[in-house]
Amino acid sequence: MLKHKHDHNVCIETALEAAQKICEKRETRFTPLRRRVLELVWTKHEPITAYEVLDLLSEGQKRVAPPTVYRALDFLIEEGFVHRIESLNAFVGCSDPEHKHQGHFMICTKCSNVTEMNEASLHSVIERAAKENGYTYENSILEIAGVCANCRN
Amino acid sequence: MLKHKHDHNVCIETALEAAQKICEKRETRFTPLRRRVLELVWTKHEPITAYEVLDLLSEGQKRVAPPTVYRALDFLIEEGFVHRIESLNAFVGCSDPEHKHQGHFMICTKCSNVTEMNEASLHSVIERAAKENGYTYENSILEIAGVCANCRN
DNA sequence: GCCCTGATTGTTATTGAATATCAAGTCATC
DNA sequence: GATGACTTGATATTCAATAACAATCAGGGC
Ligand SMILES: [Zn+2]
Ligand SMILES: [Zn+2]
Ligand SMILES: [Zn+2]
Ligand SMILES: [Zn+2]
């Protein structure tokens, strides 16, 4: 959460190991490419665009093509390791990949830091609103823009 | 709301007249181009993409360029006559343009019909969630996907 | 081992979404 | 009718995502 105050390498390692284990359990293939893309998404807590991932992935080798990145991202999203931030056309690692869910986010307009909210109360309010409007709920995106605590002072 | 059960020309006319009056009051310029783009956005209740607007706008005349459409849309969004649906890269007319707000939507995954929710309760829950996470609220997008009442049977 | 099959990755090309930049036109005001 | 702000036109480019097909890889049955 407070990105300025932790060893981010631990975050990355944790995420990679969790993904590894989940894929073993689900019998899906956590290939070197997919692993590398997930690592790159985690290089910062801030959202990263597909083309930034592409640039990083291409360093020191022949430039990869967009489908390579998008396919890996699709897999990671499908498995719940990564979320897409619609309002930014960008991607961010999920810190709770065990339980599949789609993310609800706060986005700081100053520092681009992103906080994922896992509050059940929010979820239930949203599902109830859907029901009241006659809709059968499938999923939802919630992206709140504001200024985070760090940036306010 | 129930798009199959009303004279949509009335919707369009109402929206255009409302926009006209609001612009007079605010002393902003509701030019023919902007009026025409708003009319095209309202040609269906479903969200419409910028390039669909572009195609319609270009019919029977020299093809207009993307900036023409995007500038008009920017104006209409700024004035609150149109909302952007982030998850669809598309635009939809607002049926309550008097009071500026950003929209919260339900989107039917079968028929693409869109319902704007104006529920104060939702809004307050979202603002409270922001506060609890230490953020100063600026704005938010909420887009719920599901199946509408019409499509369920 | 070898073949078959399905999944993954590579490659080329294209579509779709949005913006940067500068030129030309419009319109009110002095 | 000259000035300056706003609006529209026009050209080019960037960024985002997908289509289509070829090549490669992994595992199972023979
Ligand atoms: Zn970290
Ligand atoms: Zn911040
Ligand atoms: Zn609205
Ligand atoms: Zn429907």
Side-chain angles (χ1 to χ4, degrees), chain A residues 86-101:
Chain A
E86 298 290 338
S87 60
L88 301 175
N89 289 348
F91 304 85
V92 68
C94 175
S95 41
D96 181 21
E98 316 288 339
H99 325 93
K100 283 194 188 177
H101 61 278

Side-chain angles (χ1 to χ4, degrees), chain A residues 16-53:
Chain A
L16 291 176
E17 282 171 24
Q20 177 90 45
K21 274 183 191 128
I22 292 169
C23 284
E24 279 168 18
K25 198 163 65 184
R26 293 181 188 157
E27 299 187 23
T28 54
R29 296 179 50 195
F30 196 51
T31 65
L33 174 65
R34 289 165 175 174
R35 183 189 177 86
R36 177 78 178 125
V37 169
L38 180 57
E39 187 182 11
L40 290 173
V41 169
W42 271 97
T43 50
K44 43 179 189 172
H45 272 291
E46 295 170 36
I48 189 170
T49 70
Y51 278 70
E52 286 175 325
V53 172

Side-chain angles (χ1 to χ4, degrees), chain B residues 29 49-51 66-67 70-71 74 84 89 91:
Chain B
R29 296 178 53 193
T49 70
Y51 278 70
Y70 280 102
R71 281 189 294 229
D74 285 346
R84 181 166 201 279
N89 288 349
F91 304 85

Side-chain angles (χ1 to χ4, degrees), chain A residues 135, chain B residues 3-4 108-113 146-152:
Chain A
Y135 277 73
Chain B
K3 69 171 176 178
H4 307 293
C108 178
T109 52
K110 299 253 185 199
C111 71
S112 301
N113 197 11
V147 179
C148 78
N150 274 338
C151 292
R152 199 160 37 245

Side-chain angles (χ1 to χ4, degrees), chain B residues 80 83 93-97 101-103 105 116 118:
Chain B
H83 295 296
C94 175
S95 42
D96 181 20
H101 61 277
Q102 93 279 15
F105 298 96
E116 184 171 354
N118 284 319

